[in-house]
């Protein structure tokens, strides 16, 4: 059983169960990890070439971080591609490399994944009612199924920085349509934080590694902090700096 399954229970309360007394109102407005499935749609090499609203390297890194998060906390992950044998190209390989539990659903030419009966059946069979969606393009491959799923009664979040559009204008108009329809825009870092919830968990180092992916500067901050702690300890002992395994989350992740 993963630490995620030990920390949270499918009781609708979304409270932390780590042996510490927490506020009973905490988490009620946040994503419930026991009721969530991650959908990564059409992260394909051909479509990447037309993404202009975010650096493709950032998009791929954030998408990989989401997939790693799903694998770490046993979150169901469903992936699909639009005509991978055509000009849209194959899916980025990082997703299945870091999340081998991902379920791939082939489509038969449908632009909108929600038009594919097998895809919708696969989503429904998870039993989850909260969808976290990212994909390329945001204004088509993400927006169409997001709007359909919302109309069907799902709680829908769209990870904007793990998605991409052909222009800034397309991205802005898509965000406007999401908010008008009740689809919630979010970010890779926010999703990780909402599903993380507490450092009082055995996988804290792996989670810190994901923060370093979503925000590379976070690793630099932790490295500086750890070095300052090491120098201060050396002053106290007058024995000079010592190389020891870090106990802080981010650097511990790097020393694994």
């Amino acid at each position: 059983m993963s630490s995620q399954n030990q920390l949270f229970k499918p009781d609708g309360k979304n409270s932390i169960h780590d042996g510490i007394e927490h506020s009973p109102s905490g988490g009620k407005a946040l994503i419930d990890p026991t009721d969530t499935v991650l959908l990564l749609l059409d992260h394909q090499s051909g479509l990447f070439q037309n993404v202009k609203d975010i650096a493709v390297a950032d998009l791929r890194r954030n998408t990989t971080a989401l997939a790693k998060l799903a694998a770490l906390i046993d979150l169901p992950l469903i992936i699909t591609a639009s005509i991978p044998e055509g000009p849209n190209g194959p899916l980025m390989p990082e997703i299945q490399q870091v999340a081998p539990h991902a379920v791939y659903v082939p489509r038969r030419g449908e632009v909108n994944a929600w038009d594919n009966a097998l895809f919708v059946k696969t989503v429904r069979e998870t039993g989850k009612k909260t969808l976290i969606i990212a994909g390329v393009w945001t204004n088509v491959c993400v927006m169409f199924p997001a709007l359909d799923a919302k109309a069907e009664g799902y709680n829908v979040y769209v990870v904007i920085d793990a998605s991409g559009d052909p222009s800034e204008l397309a991205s802005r108009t898509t965000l406007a349509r999401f908010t008008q329809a009740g689809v919630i825009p979010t970010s890779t870092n926010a999703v990780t934080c909402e599903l993380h919830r507490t450092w009082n968990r055995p996988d804290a180092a792996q989670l810190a590694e994901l923060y370093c992916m979503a925000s590379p500067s976070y690793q630099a901050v932790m490295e500086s902090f750890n070095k300052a702690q090491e120098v201060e300890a050396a002053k106290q002992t007058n024995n000079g700096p010592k190389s020891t395994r870090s106990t802080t989350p981010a650097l511990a992740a790097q020393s694994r």
Side-chain angles (χ1 to χ4, degrees):
M1 180 179 292
S2 73
S3 62
Q4 182 75 56
N5 291 333
Q6 295 169 352
L7 283 170
F8 299 96
K9 298 179 181 179
D11 54 12
K13 297 180 180 179
N14 200 22
S15 54
I16 304 170
H17 299 272
D18 59 359
I20 297 173
E21 183 179 1
H22 299 285
S23 167
S25 61
K28 290 190 180 298
L30 303 181
I31 298 171
D32 182 351
T34 69
D35 187 44
T36 299
V37 57
L38 175 63
L39 310 179
L40 297 180
L41 313 178
D42 304 353
H43 288 90
Q44 297 170 251
S45 60
L47 295 176
F48 283 152
Q49 296 176 47
N50 292 283
V51 169
K52 304 301 180 183
D53 64 326
I54 183 174
V56 172
D58 294 339
L59 190 165
R60 293 182 73 141
R61 186 180 64 250
N62 290 332
T63 302
T64 303
L66 289 175
K68 291 187 73 170
L69 176 65
L72 178 63
I73 66 175
D74 295 336
L75 201 70
L77 169 56
I78 301 171
I79 59 177
T80 188
S82 172
I83 314 295
E85 66 277 10
N88 286 356
L91 283 170
M92 56 181 280
E94 297 96 314
I95 296 174
Q96 288 169 299
Q97 288 170 359
V98 302
H101 76 297
V103 176
Y104 174 73
V105 177
R107 305 212 301 275
R108 298 182 177 182
E110 302 96 339
V111 173
N112 177 7
W114 213 260
D115 279 329
N116 182 278
L118 179 59
F119 182 84
V120 176
K121 179 176 181 287
T122 304
V123 173
R124 288 174 178 161
E125 286 178 346
T126 67
K128 314 295 184 181
K129 295 299 291 182
T130 299
L131 310 182
I132 298 174
I133 308 177
V136 181
W137 294 326
T138 320
N139 70 336
V140 178
C141 304
V142 176
M143 184 168 67
F144 293 178
L147 295 181
D148 277 344
K150 181 64 181 177
E152 195 168 317
Y154 286 89
N155 303 312
V156 183
Y157 294 77
V158 170
V159 189
I160 300 301
D161 62 358
S163 306
D165 259 331
S167 69
E168 290 282 355
L169 178 60
S171 183
R172 290 197 298 271
T173 57
T174 302
L175 276 170
R177 192 168 178 186
F178 281 152
T179 55
Q180 289 169 357
V183 172
I184 303 171
T186 187
S187 66
T188 302
N189 196 64
V191 167
T192 304
C193 288
E194 283 194 61
L195 298 178
H196 172 184
R197 294 285 298 283
T198 177
W199 287 109
N200 186 35
R201 51 191 297 164
D203 55 3
Q206 292 98 313
L207 284 160
E209 185 176 297
L210 299 182
Y211 289 121
C212 292
M213 293 180 68
S215 179
S217 297
Y218 183 73
Q219 181 175 345
V221 169
M222 293 306 298
E223 287 173 348
S224 297
F225 172 78
N226 279 293
K227 186 60 178 179
Q229 295 291 97
E230 183 179 318
V231 169
E232 181 61 28
K235 289 179 179 178
Q236 295 297 323
T237 60
N238 295 317
N239 290 327
K242 295 181 179 179
S243 177
T244 59
R245 183 180 177 86
S246 174
T247 57
T248 55
L251 207 55
Q254 299 305 309
S255 62
R256 287 168 48 246

